[in-house]
Amino acid sequence: MTPIDLQPVVMAGGSGTRLWPLSRAQFPKQFLVLQGDRSLFQQAAQRLASLAAPDIHVAPTCVVGNEEHRFLVLEQLREIQIGGATLLLEPMGRNTAPAMTLAALQALDSGADPVLAVTPADQTVVDERAFTAALQRAVRLAADGAIVILGVLPDRPETGYGYIKASSAADGTGVERFVEKPDLATAQRYLAEGRYFWNSGMFVVRASVWLAAIERCRADIAAATRAAWLARSLDAAFVRPGREAFAAIPSESIDYAVMEPIAAEPGAFSLRMVPLAAGWNDLGAWEAVWQVSSKDAAGNASHGDVLLRDSRNSLVHAASRLVGVVGLDNVVVVETPDAVLVADRSRSQEVKQIVAELDRAGRSEQTLHRQVHRPWGWYDSIDSGERFQVKRILVKPGASLSLQMHHHRAEHWIVVSGTAEVTCGDKVILLSENQSTYIPLGETHRLANPGKVPLEIIEVQSGSYLGEDDIVRFEDTYGRVK
């Protein structure tokens, strides 16, 4: 038996605006831990890595994601011990059809023609055994040339998903057509008829078959993506398509670009659907998070330091402090250190309108959390005022910040725990707990952690301008020198 070569592909480029304020542009929902101890992205990567069987050989993971999230992706893969991954970095969002085309070009680059198992990074599955069985079946169909989509068995009349209308076929469930998000009455009819499935957004197809399909249905996307691929640059695990060529790619989803045209043209390609009954949810809004969460006797789901009194069917998420809720029904309350959301649970999809308003106003709460993750660790802006800012900084063992200087601010560093190696001008010193140092304005400096435990410091900045763009980098371990 010749094993089927399988290339796992995780689409990790989404913004997750409807899960604000937990989800932010630079820390979107796929990297959040909403249940258990793994992020949605980590769960997706592990599910695909577990598809190996005697007839299925699983290659290292391919992740298609945003340039700004590259170190976050690497760190989360490291935490779950998935190594050897390839990261295709999109300089800007162009939706899922170009992203899948990039993954197919990458897969074919070695001369092989593997089956791609493509999944979004922001979904959750309860029954992983059922998921594995369904995906393995899809892989075997795709190895014979089919384009396979996973259709989720619906358990309620859902108006927030697209649907697939199925027809019977000998080698799998055929696809009659794709259906847009319905109104409630239509969704109830779909559930009663039993031939309609939720569109999961998961696809399984040989790389060459996908390229043939995108070239037939959207030759403009195929040509523009190929041009960006030919202009790519390589940096260790990072593959960067040409920026200018990528910007010229039309933005389109897999469904609109390929799946719907193929379903409307029977015979052009073998289009199949494999039913998935595994407790799937795409966590597209806080309502979906409430649905999959554990609840008390009154239907309330809570996370963090929460006190509930006389409240029902509500979701309360406390990230940094005590949150008390009294006498509320069907609400969502999400607290973070710098923003709080209170919403009618049934209208949680509308949170994206708040995010759009923040974006128009140029406010940072749309982009960043107060705690900002960096490849070397993180910093938390705990206080600020006119001409000063206080940060709590954690540096991972063996990591270091860039060799840098600031034009407009000086800095005081106080070591809380661990050991700090401080470069200031031509001097290098070691500081331990309760020791401190001063970095004058305009002085070249670097902070590093030479130890085996995390380094934590308090940084007090003072000066006329304290923005993060007042950094001139001279050397950087992570390729961020400008």
Side-chain angles (χ1 to χ4, degrees):
M1 178 187 300
T2 302
I4 301 166
D5 290 326
L6 177 65
Q7 173 66 72
V9 179
V10 182
M11 301 281 202
S15 58
T17 56
R18 288 170 293 181
L19 289 189
W20 184 88
L22 276 191
S23 179
R24 308 286 175 101
Q26 291 195 15
F27 202 97
K29 71 171 180 176
Q30 57 266 32
F31 302 114
L32 297 174
V33 178
L34 296 174
Q35 291 180 309
D37 58 0
R38 297 174 297 159
S39 72
L40 298 176
F41 166 73
Q42 289 173 322
Q43 292 176 40
Q46 287 184 318
R47 284 196 297 267
L48 292 188
S50 300
L51 294 178
D55 62 332
I56 299 174
H57 172 262
V58 180
T61 303
C62 173
V63 180
V64 186
N66 191 298
E67 166 82 20
E68 293 184 346
H69 304 149
R70 62 195 186 280
F71 296 114
L72 193 53
V73 168
L74 282 182
E75 177 64 16
Q76 293 209 347
L77 289 175
R78 184 196 64 78
E79 289 175 354
I80 58 174
Q81 299 181 338
I82 290 183
T86 297
L87 276 62
L88 305 181
L89 302 180
E90 300 174 300
M92 68 282 295
R94 282 297 179 266
N95 218 315
T96 54
M100 189 164 169
T101 305
L102 278 180
L105 291 167
Q106 165 70 20
L108 290 168
D109 196 53
S110 64
D113 185 14
V115 171
L116 308 179
V118 182
T119 180
D122 55 1
Q123 301 179 344
T124 185
V125 167
V126 174
D127 188 341
E128 296 197 3
R129 181 175 296 180
F131 174 89
T132 298
L135 264 289
Q136 287 175 339
R137 180 185 173 200
V139 168
R140 295 176 181 115
L141 288 171
D144 290 333
I147 299 175
V148 188
I149 183 168
L150 276 292
V152 177
L153 288 164
D155 57 8
R156 63 185 183 277
E158 175 61 58
T159 61
Y161 299 149
Y163 283 71
I164 306 164
K165 185 177 182 181
S167 61
S168 180
D171 59 346
T173 302
V175 176
E176 188 170 310
R177 65 188 178 103
F178 287 79
V179 185
E180 297 301 320
K181 296 175 182 177
D183 59 25
L184 181 57
T186 305
Q188 290 171 336
R189 178 169 58 83
Y190 288 170
L191 187 64
E193 288 186 16
R195 290 179 59 196
Y196 290 85
F197 295 75
W198 294 335
N199 185 346
S200 71
M202 289 184 278
F203 304 93
V204 185
V205 59
R206 278 203 183 274
S208 61
V209 173
W210 171 257
L211 288 182
I214 190 74
E215 286 166 359
R216 180 185 181 93
C217 299
R218 287 296 300 268
D220 56 339
I221 293 177
T225 308
R226 194 178 294 275
W229 176 252
L230 291 174
R232 69 191 181 278
S233 61
L234 306 179
D235 176 15
F238 303 137
V239 181
R240 294 180 171 88
R243 174 175 287 271
E244 291 186 12
F246 195 87
I249 301 174
S251 179
E252 192 61 275
S253 70
I254 292 169
D255 291 332
Y256 283 129
V258 172
M259 296 300 162
E260 292 186 11
I262 285 177
E265 188 182 0
F269 290 88
S270 174
L271 182 57
R272 295 286 178 260
M273 188 197 72
V274 169
L276 177 65
W280 171 94
N281 198 304
D282 76 342
L283 298 183
W286 287 113
E287 164 70 15
V289 176
W290 175 83
Q291 288 174 358
V292 302
S293 298
S294 299
K295 304 175 185 69
D296 63 17
N300 299 306
S302 63
H303 176 88
D305 194 3
V306 173
L307 292 177
L308 288 152
R309 293 293 181 270
D310 192 28
S311 297
R312 288 168 292 281
N313 301 319
S314 294
L315 171 66
V316 184
H317 191 292
S320 67
R321 72 197 88 180
L322 170 65
V323 175
V325 175
V326 179
L328 295 181
D329 293 348
N330 298 293
V331 299
V332 171
V333 180
V334 182
E335 175 274 334
T336 68
D338 63 344
V340 177
L341 169 72
V342 181
D344 185 316
R345 210 189 77 219
S346 66
R347 300 179 62 183
S348 61
Q349 295 274 354
E350 298 175 37
V351 172
K352 62 184 179 182
Q353 297 174 10
I354 297 291
V355 176
E357 189 171 334
L358 291 171
D359 192 28
R360 287 192 297 270
R363 296 188 55 154
S364 64
E365 293 93 340
Q366 180 267 340
T367 305
L368 294 168
H369 282 282
R370 202 184 75 176
Q371 185 181 97
V372 178
H373 290 261
R374 291 289 186 253
W376 42 262
W378 51 258
Y379 68 83
D380 186 355
S381 299
I382 58 179
D383 197 11
S384 64
E386 187 175 355
R387 297 185 63 86
F388 83 91
Q389 182 168 220
V390 182
K391 291 183 176 180
R392 179 184 171 198
I393 298 176
L394 182 139
V395 185
K396 294 181 290 189
S400 67
L401 283 68
S402 58
L403 183 66
Q404 59 185 252
M405 61 87 71
H406 310 293
H407 290 295
H408 304 289
R409 72 177 186 247
E411 296 174 344
H412 297 259
W413 294 347
I414 305 165
V415 177
V416 177
S417 61
T419 301
E421 180 184 275
V422 178
T423 300
C424 186
D426 58 359
K427 297 180 180 179
V428 179
I429 61 173
L430 291 177
L431 300 178
S432 56
E433 186 174 326
N434 295 324
Q435 293 183 316
S436 63
T437 191
Y438 168 65
I439 309 296
L441 183 151
E443 185 66 86
T444 301
H445 62 279
R446 188 200 300 266
L447 174 66
N449 180 0
K452 296 182 179 180
V453 298
L455 162 66
E456 187 172 334
I457 73 166
I458 299 297
E459 175 184 87
V460 181
Q461 304 175 356
S462 61
S464 60
Y465 179 72
L466 305 172
E468 284 300 302
D469 54 349
D470 181 26
I471 298 178
V472 179
R473 292 188 176 97
F474 301 101
E475 297 175 7
D476 185 69
T477 305
Y478 313 103
R480 298 174 298 165
V481 175
K482 295 183 179 179

